[in-house]
Amino acid sequence: MPNAPQLPRRDFIKNTALGVAGATLASSMLPQLAFSEKAKLAPMTVPKWKGFNFLDFFVPDPARSRKKTTEDHFRWMSDWGFDFVRIPMAYPYYLDIDYERDITPDEVYKISEKKVAEVDRLVEMANKHGLHVSLNLHRAPGYCINAGFHEPYNLWKDDEALEAFCYHWEMWAKRYKGISRELISFDLVNEPSMREDMNDQFGKREAVPGMTYRRVAGAAVKRIRSVAPDHLIMADGNNGGHEAVPELIDLGVGQSCRGYFPFEISHHRAPWVHKDPSGIPAPSWPNGPEQDRAGLEEFYQPWFDLQDAGVGVHCGECGCYKETPHDVFLAWFGDVLGVLSERGIGFSLWEMDGDFGILNSGRDDVAYEDWHGQKLDRKLLKLLQSV
């Protein structure tokens, strides 16, 4: 709460939880949240799902999209014991627009049935193999943590953007309301942050003011629940997904953390993070105070406090870019997954097939196993299966 005395974040979470548990929050704390009593103050349980992100609709322009996921990927996932698919989407992908010029506010509503049907097919294919699908707006109207597309307005500041955001979520909720909540859920917006310039990939970012995030999330939650009242809704952590959000506790949604701490390990020499990655020395793990398992436990403590307040938590993205030495990656990632697993928190590796994945990651220090013509990182697979 911007104008309230600033409590330590853990105390704020606990104090907020007490109010929620007693159902004594003043009505002024629930602006425009005409939810059912069932949904209003009772966060839905988030299973300890384990799986992968699939990037079929990750880029705004379909002509620049990556290779498509096949049914084999989902079959292998199921056989290996995984049960979760996160689909981060750029909303322009499924619009009927000219990608050679900047989008206009009116065009944000030009949904292409043909392109939406591509999403349907991926969801159906995953569900066929018993996999839960989390549908996420990685680029939402008015916001994306990545550059590469000119937004016509700002989700955190402009009512026009918020209305478009809610429109898209109502559309998806209507489309999938008939699918069991066991098979599909909705992840509102990827990694909220405030950006000075959304077209500057390396620009400064900071957390969205808590009540601003709450206003945006609350409006979308209300719209989704107007048509799909029983489905799980997830909200990503603030400040790029890393910070727990106590301001959302009473919305009855789960929250999604990230497995990218410390960032210098997870994104070592990643070209979208570093303007000149060439001279960065290789990281190690553990690496002194706060760069060890105890440091990870301290980092995730606010998320554990959310759990103690009754909020379900899942790690929607995690993993390591291919430039981190493989032995360092496995040592660090084993600790990350171990810390989360001890609290019943599942995970979704950032991609199954690609630079972060178990298939075809392009690392030069891995003895890959041939897997139906794919290059399988068996050591990483075994680590994922072990938690």
Side-chain angles (χ1 to χ4, degrees), residues 59-64 90-103 107 110 112 115 148-149:
V59 297
D61 183 352
R64 295 177 171 85
Y91 79 90
Y93 183 102
Y94 56 80
L95 299 180
D96 183 11
I97 59 174
D98 179 358
Y99 296 95
E100 298 303 316
R101 58 174 176 77
D102 290 345
I103 192 172
E107 289 176 322
K110 295 185 66 176
S112 165
K115 293 175 184 175
F149 185 85

Side-chain angles (χ1 to χ4, degrees), residues 196-256:
E196 293 178 348
D197 181 356
M198 284 193 289
N199 292 310
D200 180 1
Q201 184 64 50
F202 301 99
K204 180 181 178 182
R205 300 178 183 135
E206 59 186 23
V208 178
M211 293 308 287
T212 298
Y213 188 7
R214 189 186 188 289
R215 177 179 66 86
V216 169
V221 168
K222 179 181 178 181
R223 197 73 71 88
I224 291 170
R225 286 186 176 150
S226 71
V227 295
D230 296 322
H231 280 65
L232 173 65
I233 300 171
M234 297 294 293
D236 281 12
N238 207 339
N239 202 9
H242 300 288
E243 297 181 8
V245 195
E247 293 88 351
L248 305 186
I249 287 177
D250 66 297
L251 296 186
V253 300
Q255 293 195 32
S256 179

Side-chain angles (χ1 to χ4, degrees), residues 95 97 116 125 244 259 280 284 289 294-295 301 336 379 381:
L95 299 180
I97 59 174
V116 168
M125 199 159 52
I280 300 174
S284 59
Q301 187 59 51
V336 171
K379 286 185 177 180
L381 173 59

Side-chain angles (χ1 to χ4, degrees), residues 71 74 87 117-131 133 176 179:
E71 188 167 352
F74 296 140
I87 304 177
E118 293 182 34
V119 180
D120 290 344
R121 284 193 290 273
L122 192 64
V123 171
E124 291 167 3
M125 199 159 52
N127 287 167
K128 174 182 175 181
H129 291 275
L131 306 173
V133 172
Y176 295 131
I179 296 179

Side-chain angles (χ1 to χ4, degrees), residues 228-361:
D230 296 322
H231 280 65
L232 173 65
I233 300 171
M234 297 294 293
D236 281 12
N238 207 339
N239 202 9
H242 300 288
E243 297 181 8
V245 195
E247 293 88 351
L248 305 186
I249 287 177
D250 66 297
L251 296 186
V253 300
Q255 293 195 32
S256 179
C257 65
R258 292 294 178 266
Y260 296 140
F261 176 81
F263 211 62
E264 57 265 29
I265 291 182
S266 66
H267 286 68
H268 176 58
R269 294 184 179 176
W272 64 95
V273 175
H274 306 286
K275 290 184 178 181
D276 181 13
S278 59
I280 300 174
S284 59
W285 184 265
N287 189 26
E290 299 183 2
Q291 297 276 311
D292 56 13
R293 188 180 178 109
L296 291 172
E297 291 171 347
E298 180 63 24
F299 175 79
Y300 286 109
Q301 187 59 51
W303 295 93
F304 304 154
D305 293 337
L306 270 187
Q307 287 184 304
D308 293 340
V311 177
V313 175
H314 186 261
C315 183
E317 290 184 22
C318 57
C320 209
Y321 184 58
K322 65 182 181 180
E323 290 296 319
T324 302
H326 198 240
D327 58 343
V328 175
F329 167 34
L330 295 180
W332 162 76
F333 202 42
D335 281 343
V336 171
L337 295 182
V339 166
L340 295 175
S341 181
E342 287 176 359
R343 291 295 301 235
I345 297 174
F347 64 86
S348 183
L349 192 71
W350 180 254
E351 72 190 336
M352 181 182 184
D353 186 343
D355 293 344
F356 280 68
I358 60 172
L359 296 175
N360 308 312
S361 63

